[in-house]
Amino acid sequence: MAHPPVAARLQALREQMQFQSVQASIWPTSDPHLSEYLPDRWKSRQWLSGFVGSAGLLVVTADWAGLWTDSRYWEQAAKELDGSGIQLQRAGEAGVPEPANWLAEHLPAQSRVALDSQSVSAQSLLAWQKATPELDWVLDADLLSPIWTDRPAAPVGQVVEHLPPFACRTRQENLSSTRAAMQEQGAHWHLLSALDDIAWTLNLRGSDVSYNPVFLSYLLIGPDQAFLFVDSNKLSAGIQEALALDGVQVQGYTELSSFMRALPASMPILLDMARTTAWAAQLAAHLNVVEHINPAQLLKSCKTAAELDHVRETMEKDGAALCEFFAWFEQQNEVTELDVDEHICAARARQEGSVSPSFGTIAAYNANGAMPHYQATQQSHARIEGNGLLLIDSGGQYQGGTTDITRVVPVGQVSAEQIRDFTLVLKGMVSLSMLVFPEGIAGQQIDVLARQPLWEQGLDFGHGTGHGVGYFMNVHEGPQSISWRGRIGAHSAMRAGMITSNEPGLYRPGQWGIRIENLVAAVPAMRSEYGQFLRFETLTLCPIDTRCIDAALLTAAERQWLNEYHQQVRERLLPRVQGEARTWLEQRTQAI
């Protein structure tokens, strides 16, 4: 299978590289704000390679090209890169070098390597440079403009205020909390370029990035005043007036550079080097940089009691939408993966307070389910027929919270091996759900509970077990995560109020995939002479399909957890559903 557009683009890129005396170029999946989901303008890695996954890094030399991506995308990338001339590098697999190590090994000393300083964090650039001391890094080469002639413009979506009752903290409170954290670090200024941190701080939401309610901007916070660098056409006069009342001045999006360089030398400025691009960090080179995590990242990760109450109500709405969808789905005879996406999004859109999906729906039947981040397209999707398992990972953005849920349902007859796999994954999810743990423990230290039933059978899954989730914000947020592969750091602690996914899985390439996901909140469990202990409150409300469970493999405690969970789901959702959705809910929440 040939890829003429990809081959032509790579050839044009190599011609530009030769013209600008560059021996290699690096193309991360990134934008000037290090976003997870990118506006079309910054999908350069996708445009060059043809690989549409949301994570990956492309390296191009004069005679070689390789794409590094993690295990979630290996099968997808192999298909999409076939015939492109780009070699798949299975990141994390034994024998596969890190990209920087590959460059150091294959390029002669003093080779010039191009990497856009607006597409890499300051922390990552330093790591690249330390790993390749013999290479010459070129950070300002423009290789794209001459060849990507129809490159999309930057998005111009309107900004709206996140208002009470759903906004539970005022803009002034957010700014005051941030300034208090700045003062603790001895910082006079603080520059934010991470869009979710900016939107949270200012109680604003936007639509510049798919699925994430954020807008292109920078925010510079001083001791008494803050400056928002944004296209002012995105802001109504009312929002600009409200910002001014809270001491926030609006500046043009492109004015950050001149504004930063005009700051008095040696003033202390707080920068999160992992969430700030090398370009933005360089603007502060004349200042006294204080390296520290963005205070907003920590502050917004711990939801308030009021925010958790709104999330609980949102979960009821989301659960009702899912009951409506599954009741419809089980009555269909001819359905495709694309139909699943259409109908599940439509069911959510009918709920009060619904804004948009929180990510692209993953509807994956049988072998497609073995690709954890599979996306059905018009050109490539499956018809759901015969026998097997359908994995659906979906979520919604609501004024009162963000949802993310994965369920696997049977189609026709399921095999004993599929039921066994499903039950093993469920056991891990339930084990983590029942955990009581000391506050402050790292998420990396509890990951084993979700994997133990699989490890005991010589099985595993390649992705993390859990990620933080925002409050009407990004579906993936930090700083917490649950993954033994993650590095334990100063801000890995699980804290009260954090919302995290619980989603173990099992994937058999070419056959099927299983993942069961609920969102959980860390809430107080008890206090003793040994300190404060937390537990996980399950927030997600949707039946887990018992037709895929081998009850004989469950312990009494696991069976009790499942029955009590289904009782709660039934009691909280029954008032919100009627007709066929109500009948489906009652049937799927029967005790086992």
Side-chain angles (χ1 to χ4, degrees), residues 353-368:
S354 175
V355 176
S356 73
S358 57
F359 57 96
T361 302
I362 300 171
Y365 185 50
N366 279 345
N368 291 338

Side-chain angles (χ1 to χ4, degrees), residues 215-522:
F215 54 97
L216 297 180
S217 57
Y218 297 93
L219 180 64
L220 181 64
I221 302 175
D224 303 308
Q225 207 165 24
F227 301 89
L228 175 63
F229 298 87
V230 64
D231 181 348
S232 60
N233 292 321
K234 298 173 183 282
L235 307 179
S236 68
I239 290 179
Q240 294 193 50
E241 291 172 5
L243 289 170
L245 289 173
D246 286 331
V248 181
Q249 288 190 21
V250 175
Q251 306 283 328
Y253 178 71
T254 60
E255 295 174 17
L256 175 67
S257 179
S258 58
F259 195 99
M260 287 287 294
R261 291 194 171 101
L263 293 177
S266 301
M267 293 293 288
I269 183 169
L270 189 155
L271 289 183
D272 186 336
M273 305 303 272
R275 290 170 69 79
T276 302
T277 63
W279 174 84
Q282 184 60 33
L283 298 179
H286 65 296
L287 304 174
N288 178 19
V289 174
V290 178
E291 296 186 19
H292 192 262
I293 190 172
N294 280 349
Q297 192 178 11
L298 289 168
L299 291 166
K300 75 177 187 296
S301 69
C302 296
K303 280 60 177 177
T304 66
E307 287 169 340
L308 287 175
D309 282 342
H310 285 302
V311 170
R312 292 181 184 104
E313 182 180 14
T314 292
M315 290 296 178
E316 292 179 1
K317 297 176 182 178
D318 204 62
L322 291 167
C323 289
E324 179 184 328
F325 163 77
F326 280 115
W328 168 85
F329 173 78
E330 291 192 8
Q331 294 180 1
Q332 307 307 304
N333 294 319
E334 296 185 5
V335 180
T336 69
E337 294 167 336
L338 295 177
D339 295 327
V340 170
D341 177 29
E342 176 186 350
H343 284 268
I344 207 165
C345 289
R348 283 194 170 97
R350 287 189 284 270
Q351 292 293 320
E352 182 183 5
S354 175
V355 176
S356 73
S358 57
F359 57 96
T361 302
I362 300 171
Y365 185 50
N366 279 345
N368 291 338
M371 296 179 276
H373 276 208
Y374 166 81
Q375 289 283 315
T377 65
Q378 289 288 345
Q379 296 74 30
S380 178
H381 62 270
R383 182 173 297 278
I384 302 167
E385 58 188 2
N387 300 318
L389 296 174
L390 172 65
L391 183 154
I392 306 174
D393 189 348
S394 67
Q397 293 285 8
Y398 297 80
Q399 292 282 346
T402 301
T403 71
D404 181 3
I405 175 176
T406 308
R407 290 293 184 265
V408 173
V409 296
V411 176
Q413 298 295 315
V414 291
S415 68
E417 187 178 9
Q418 289 171 329
I419 290 174
R420 178 176 174 272
D421 282 355
F422 185 99
T423 308
L424 292 174
V425 173
L426 175 63
K427 286 170 70 69
M429 194 274 286
V430 172
S431 178
L432 192 58
S433 301
M434 295 190 297
L435 180 66
V436 176
F437 55 97
E439 183 170 28
I441 197 170
Q444 292 83 346
Q445 294 173 295
I446 61 177
D447 184 49
V448 61
L449 291 173
R451 298 178 188 266
Q452 184 176 359
L454 294 167
W455 285 354
E456 288 174 348
Q457 304 300 320
L459 304 169
D460 200 2
F461 54 96
H463 56 77
T465 298
H467 58 82
V469 178
Y471 175 69
F472 184 29
M473 191 47 69
N474 294 5
V475 73
H476 298 130
E477 75 169 24
Q480 85 277 19
S481 67
I482 302 175
S483 173
W484 66 266
R485 293 178 176 87
R487 182 177 300 174
I488 297 178
H491 306 291
S492 305
M494 299 296 295
R495 303 291 185 189
M498 286 181 166
I499 296 177
T500 311
S501 68
N502 175 5
E503 49 179 314
L506 179 60
Y507 309 94
R508 296 190 181 274
Q511 299 181 71
W512 60 78
I514 295 166
R515 185 166 62 254
I516 306 172
E517 176 186 18
N518 284 340
L519 299 189
V520 296

Side-chain angles (χ1 to χ4, degrees), residues 81-95:
L81 297 177
D82 184 28
S84 68
I86 301 172
Q87 293 186 20
L88 172 61
Q89 303 294 305
R90 299 172 183 263
E93 192 174 63

